[in-house]
Amino acid sequence: MFRPSRRLATLPTPATIAMAARARELKAQGKPVISLALGQPDFPSPAAALDGAVAEVKAGHTGYPPIPGQKPLLEAVAGKFRRDNGLDVSLDQLMVCNGGKQAIFNAFMASLDDGDEVIVPAPYWVSYPLIARMFGGVPVEIACREEDGFRPQAEAIRQAITPRTRWLVLNFPNNPTGAILERDDLEAIAAVLREAPHVMVMSDEIYEHLTFDGRHHLSLLNVAPDLADRILIINGMSKAYAMTGWRVGVACGPVPLIRAMIKVQGNTTSGICTLAQGGSVAALKEDIAGVQAMRETYERRRGLVVDALRRIEGLSCALPQGAFYAYPGLSALIGRKSAGGRLLSDDVAFAEALLEEAHVATVPGSAFGYGPHLRLSFAASDEELEEACRRLAGFVQGITD
Ligand SMILES: Cc1ncc(COP(=O)(O)O)c(C=O)c1O
């Protein structure tokens, strides 16, 4: 009979996936569910990517790929770092993985021993602590404050570092808050890292193209090139290129780490689907205008959603500076009752009641280590977003003491 391993048994299903699954169930029962739970662009993948994938098959590239990635893709990725970040990286500093998620998995498997600590500023994307725990890592959360714009503070990082610290995880633009790190923030964090030469940094920059109000993404490596032998950049095709299903992620880091990650990948997935690699080359070589057009749409929708949320009495909503999520705070509504009689004891209860009673799927902030909040993805149509906000307003109006 099947018995899950001890390691797996203690791992919860990520709340993002659990909420999306419950939303699908309700939809199958005919309920008019709007799902703002998943971080999934609602645009089609670029036409160039489809053509590139077809060309790859037609060229007969259907055998096992090289484990780190096919050379044309690694070259296109190096070109991306030059074009978008002004960084010169060599091909042996790069690998492609089955999504950014596998890049993180590879890195933690390649580097963590039991009891090694991974500093994760909260709110965080759910997978960092979960993957770290798979390999015996101990997530050490540091709470970012809303009044600091949810940016991790250098001093808090300094205080969290111990001799067991192996990694600091940074993610900007951030999922779930949309916070970005500017030059000053990065310089202050780099100064702390210079005092702690045993700490590696995972800099997840997968939302780099989705920044608002004229801001431009600055990579940690731009600010601290002297730390290149300790910085692992995570990126990928999913968010900027609307290619979530293609499963192409990118890792860029010091050669010894990348070699170790290649060893992990060689023993797990044996590399990335060749069609997806051909499609990714074509998408990366295209003009960046397509990505910019999606960015503008997200920025417009951010305005629509944040305005609507700020009009709802009892919610507070910071303005996201990037990515495609709003992260309203719920503290004034916790401990009260929904119109359907459910006790809103915390943000999990709130998100469940909102889904059951108003059929809007979101993710509770506590899943990201920071509640009571809700994460709403604005990678959805204007109509869906307007209707979801209307329903949320109605749901909140119905709340009683
Ligand atoms: C911050 C962050 N990093 C990495 C990923 C991984 O994306 P993928 O595995 O699709 O490349 C996600 C996806 O939601 C994310 O939000």
Side-chain angles (χ1 to χ4, degrees):
M1 202 182 69
F2 172 69
R3 178 185 58 77
S5 64
R6 269 193 297 279
R7 216 156 244 178
L8 196 74
T10 62
L11 279 190
T13 304
T16 40
I17 290 176
M19 280 305 270
R22 179 67 187 137
R24 263 197 301 276
E25 261 171 42
L26 289 174
K27 228 176 194 161
Q29 293 166 16
K31 303 284 192 316
V33 173
I34 299 178
S35 182
L36 306 182
L38 271 186
Q40 166 124 287
D42 61 318
F43 295 101
S45 298
L50 309 188
D51 295 342
V54 172
E56 199 66 26
V57 192
K58 286 199 170 148
H61 298 157
T62 53
Y64 283 120
I67 308 295
Q70 301 183 146
K71 198 158 176 235
L73 180 52
L74 296 180
E75 284 169 348
V77 170
K80 172 232 110 55
F81 276 107
R82 249 190 321 277
R83 177 193 67 188
D84 302 338
N85 311 100
L87 292 170
D88 266 317
V89 296
S90 60
L91 298 197
D92 55 359
Q93 286 176 272
L94 296 174
M95 72 183 294
V96 289
C97 310
N98 286 282
K101 196 180 250 181
Q102 197 201 359
I104 297 164
F105 179 100
N106 289 346
F108 283 165
M109 185 172 189
S111 61
L112 289 178
D113 286 313
D114 284 344
D116 284 347
E117 294 172 2
V118 178
I119 299 176
V120 191
Y124 46 74
W125 181 47
V126 288
S127 292
Y128 309 123
L130 295 187
I131 298 176
R133 280 169 53 188
M134 280 187 199
F135 301 110
V138 179
V140 175
E141 294 181 19
I142 51 173
C144 302
R145 298 184 315 169
E146 200 162 352
E147 54 270 39
D148 294 326
F150 290 117
R151 295 164 191 223
Q153 300 297 299
E155 188 46 38
I157 294 170
R158 186 198 312 277
Q159 284 176 19
I161 291 176
T162 75
R164 292 301 311 256
T165 307
R166 200 86 172 91
W167 287 94
L168 163 67
V169 178
L170 298 176
N171 167 221
F172 56 102
N174 180 268
N175 173 8
T177 65
I180 67 168
L181 293 178
E182 316 248 18
R183 182 177 289 279
D184 285 359
D185 306 304
L186 292 172
E187 274 172 358
I189 293 171
V192 170
L193 290 165
R194 287 187 191 106
E195 292 167 17
H198 62 297
V199 178
M200 307 271 304
V201 196
M202 179 178 284
S203 185
D204 184 342
E205 305 182 15
I206 200 164
Y207 293 95
E208 67 172 338
H209 289 295
L210 307 181
T211 54
F212 305 139
D213 308 312
R215 292 187 178 85
H216 289 289
H217 176 80
L218 195 59
S219 174
L220 178 61
L221 206 48
N222 294 123
V223 173
D226 58 310
L227 300 180
D229 61 349
R230 290 199 271 145
I231 295 174
L232 177 69
I233 299 176
I234 305 291
N235 211 312
M237 304 302 292
S238 287
K239 311 295 178 179
Y241 290 88
M243 289 174 68
T244 46
W246 298 66
R247 309 309 303 130
V248 180
V250 167
C252 171
V255 174
L257 171 63
I258 294 292
R259 282 208 189 113
M261 291 169 62
I262 292 169
K263 191 167 165 189
V264 174
Q265 187 153 292
N267 284 293
T268 49
T269 58
S270 295
I272 313 311
C273 166
T274 55
L275 279 73
Q277 296 200 49
S280 299
V281 172
L284 285 170
K285 284 194 170 160
E286 266 224 314
D287 191 275
I288 195 86
V291 173
Q292 292 303 347
M294 288 191 264
R295 191 203 63 73
E296 280 163 25
T297 305
Y298 291 130
E299 183 159 358
R300 189 178 48 70
R301 289 174 180 167
R302 171 193 68 157
L304 188 156
V305 169
V306 170
D307 285 354
L309 294 176
R310 285 179 172 172
R311 279 198 295 271
I312 301 175
E313 208 173 318
L315 292 187
S316 59
C317 189
L319 189 68
Q321 300 171 321
F324 44 55
Y325 308 101
Y327 201 60
L330 306 175
S331 41
L333 303 171
I334 296 303
R336 300 168 71 187
K337 274 210 173 119
S338 69
R342 290 178 170 84
L343 177 64
L344 307 174
S345 49
D346 55 19
D347 55 8
V348 177
F350 190 101
E352 282 169 1
L354 179 66
L355 177 57
E356 301 294 334
E357 296 176 29
H359 304 132
V360 178
T362 57
V363 186
S366 48
F368 307 99
Y370 200 104
H373 279 254
L374 279 189
R375 188 194 75 173
L376 288 77
S377 160
F378 45 84
S381 70
D382 289 17
E383 297 71 39
E384 283 179 305
L385 293 172
E386 278 161 8
E387 176 58 18
C389 291
R390 239 190 319 273
R391 290 189 200 174
L392 176 56
F395 177 83
V396 171
Q397 245 167 28
I399 291 175
T400 55
D401 287 326

